[in-house]
Amino acid sequence: MIRTLKTLLLAFLVAVGLALSVVQPAAAAAAPAQITLNPASGPVGTAVTVAGTGFKASTTGTVIVGSTTFPFQTTATGGFSTGITIPAGSAGNLTITAKTSSIKASAVFVVQAGPSPQPPTVSTAALRFGVATAGGPLASSELDEVSTLAGESPSIIMIYKDFLQSPPITEMDAARTRGATPLVTWEPWAWGGGVDQPAYSLDRITAGDFDGLITQWGTSFAASGKPVMLRFAHEMNGNWYPWAEGVNGNQAGDYAAAWRHVHDVLAATGASNVQWVWSPNVPYWGSTDLAGLFPGAAYADIVALDGYNWGTSQTWSSWVSPADLFAPGISQLRALAPGKPILVAETASSELGGSKATWNTDLVSYLAAQPDVMGFVWFHLQKEVDWRINSSDSSASAFRSALLARRS
């Protein structure tokens, strides 16, 4: 009898447990990815903030607007916020899609009829504002977005070309149409080929192996007859490009010799409209001494520096202020090329390790206080880190305010 009662009790408890398991709610499923648009309507050319949640964490993605794309980076929680511009030619209900490798979400932007908002004009401030974007001068929507973020249109627009490409005349004209001077970075290598490219060693350049290409470029520049800044073989004091000394078979003295040769061949075409920009990286421990790389005052019209605040984004990097980043190099440029205008040809800051908003403010303030610094070019790309002006709302706001202050 006792055993029977125990058996009945056990059966009862099991039944109750099963019943409870049936009525317990299932674990909540992950929320689906979604995006919001702000604003959600407007004419073509409208700057729109796209915010998303529920995407793959800590990865890159793309916002697709018609045939135009805009990159973004998600946070550790799978969220993101990025700026886009409604492309010209859009009409009606425009589907905007954000996607990572395996997740996507869409929202509809209502394109309103009416004139497109005009981008701000180019500033006449002594410190010029320039930009490098993923699409260059032909990507008008990218440049419109930058102009809106900055509160002024860039007066310098960067163009990157290697030794396999033709002179970028169409891109140069597009930059000038926007009121900007084209800054052409001309790289003597084949993109993607790495540092070891013997075909492009400095001694081969000096020996004349590429004189036909150089003449072609010079003839095209001369025919255009319009000002262009030519930044040949930049960041030569590092070791990450095949035109640096100490790599790719290059020896001490080879760089300056190659620079002078390219300059002379191109100048012989009559391209007197070219301003030559000699542009090392900011000096660092172990970099090649600038004095041995400088081709001489007669061979450079502008001297420049590339410098980035990597913050704590890399294992080897730490937060550095604009003054600490640029002052030592600017001092060396002044000693090497007295009286030459100085350009910061590439710069940007990471968000990691400090306040990017403060860094932006300090950068413009510091450079504006240097009477021989003619301008700076912001690297508005999401590459190794998010270098863009609008990597955060605070960064974008500070950048715009800093440019406005230097116009006052």
Side-chain angles (χ1 to χ4, degrees):
M1 181 65 178
I2 294 176
R3 180 175 297 177
T4 301
L5 289 174
K6 287 182 177 179
T7 301
L8 291 173
L9 179 60
L10 179 60
F12 173 77
L13 292 174
V14 169
V16 171
L18 288 172
L20 289 174
S21 67
V22 170
V23 300
Q24 289 297 316
Q34 60 180 358
I35 61 172
T36 58
L37 310 176
N38 184 24
S41 64
V44 297
T46 298
V48 178
T49 298
V50 181
T53 57
F55 288 81
K56 186 176 180 181
S58 303
T59 191
T60 57
T62 305
V63 174
I64 304 169
V65 188
S67 60
T68 306
T69 60
F70 302 85
F72 66 83
Q73 175 79 37
T74 61
T75 65
T77 60
F80 75 89
S81 177
T82 192
I84 68 168
T85 304
I86 302 302
S90 302
N93 293 335
L94 178 65
T95 299
I96 296 175
T97 301
K99 61 181 295 186
T100 56
S101 58
S102 58
I103 302 173
K104 69 178 181 179
S106 299
V108 173
F109 182 90
V110 179
V111 182
Q112 299 173 343
S116 304
Q118 294 300 307
T121 58
V122 172
S123 169
T124 58
L127 181 71
R128 298 177 67 177
F129 159 58
V131 72
T133 63
L138 299 180
S140 59
S141 60
E142 288 180 354
L143 294 171
D144 288 347
E145 178 196 27
V146 167
S147 299
T148 300
L149 290 169
E152 65 182 68
S153 291
S155 70
I156 300 170
I157 298 176
M158 183 77 82
I159 303 167
Y160 292 91
K161 297 294 176 183
D162 69 2
F163 259 31
L164 298 177
Q165 295 174 288
S166 302
I169 302 303
T170 301
E171 290 157 274
M172 290 160 51
D173 288 342
R176 296 187 185 106
T177 298
R178 302 183 68 95
T181 302
L183 172 58
V184 180
T185 295
W186 197 20
E187 302 176 340
W189 69 334
W191 274 345
V195 173
D196 187 17
Q197 298 193 42
Y200 299 98
S201 62
L202 292 171
D203 59 355
R204 293 196 63 177
I205 296 173
T206 306
D209 288 8
F210 300 97
D211 283 5
L213 175 67
I214 299 166
T215 299
Q216 177 195 6
W217 274 58
T219 301
S220 295
F221 285 155
S224 77
K226 299 172 183 176
V228 55
M229 293 188 284
L230 183 61
R231 188 173 71 133
F232 176 70
H234 66 302
E235 298 178 8
M236 74 300 290
N237 57 327
N239 59 5
W240 46 86
Y241 288 126
W243 54 83
E245 294 181 354
V247 303
N248 201 33
N250 302 324
Q251 305 297 316
D254 284 352
Y255 180 85
W259 175 284
R260 288 190 288 264
H261 180 82
V262 172
H263 178 284
D264 289 345
V265 172
L266 194 142
T269 65
S272 58
N273 52 317
V274 173
Q275 285 186 297
W276 289 80
V277 182
W278 184 76
S279 183
N281 194 76
V282 289
Y284 60 92
W285 188 89
S287 63
T288 304
D289 184 65
L290 297 185
L293 300 169
F294 188 56
Y299 287 88
D301 301 297
I302 299 168
V303 290
L305 288 172
D306 292 1
Y308 291 84
N309 173 32
W310 291 82
T312 56
S313 66
Q314 311 296 315
T315 56
W316 48 263
S317 64
S318 60
W319 193 266
V320 59
S321 72
D324 288 342
L325 179 63
F326 287 109
I330 288 175
S331 179
Q332 291 188 43
L333 293 183
R334 287 169 176 158
L336 280 173
K340 297 282 185 184
I342 297 172
L343 175 69
V344 171
E346 288 184 26
T347 192
S349 176
S350 166
E351 291 274 3
L352 304 177
S355 168
K356 182 171 179 176
T358 300
W359 198 91
N360 295 348
T361 302
D362 292 346
L363 172 75
V364 178
S365 176
Y366 168 73
L367 295 179
Q370 313 303 312
D372 51 354
V373 174
M374 60 176 288
F376 70 98
V377 178
W378 189 272
F379 194 75
H380 183 72
L381 281 83
Q382 190 166 332
K383 197 178 176 186
E384 304 91 349
V385 301
D386 193 345
W387 301 115
R388 295 173 304 163
I389 295 167
N390 58 332
S391 56
S392 64
D393 290 343
S394 60
S395 171
S397 177
F399 192 88
R400 183 186 180 100
S401 296
L403 291 183
L404 176 61
R406 72 91 164 77
R407 297 198 300 267
S408 303

